[in-house]
Amino acid sequence: PQLRELLADIVPQRTSLENFELEFDFPVVGSKQLRFNARQIESAGGQPPLILLVIEDLPGGTKI
């Protein structure tokens, strides 16, 4: 929920997301530590803005 809120604020508030880390438990691979970075990208031709989202798999986060 916290990540969703941060992403939802990027376009209306013209903010960015820098080095936000979360740990997820995946059924097959186990626990992963992930880092998220995001920012708004202006679209051409009057299209709505887009969000560029980068997800980095951090070393040492896997517990298989």
Side-chain angles (χ1 to χ4, degrees), residues 2-39:
Q2 185 180 6
L3 176 60
R4 184 182 302 235
E5 283 182 36
L6 292 170
L7 290 173
D9 288 342
I10 289 176
V11 172
Q13 295 185 14
R14 297 187 175 269
T15 60
S16 62
L17 180 63
E18 304 268 339
N19 299 318
F20 182 77
E21 294 183 12
L22 285 176
E23 187 168 333
F24 286 98
D25 289 318
F26 295 96
V28 176
V29 297
S31 181
K32 291 278 196 174
Q33 185 75 25
L34 303 173
R35 179 181 297 142
F36 298 84
N37 290 283
R39 65 181 29 140

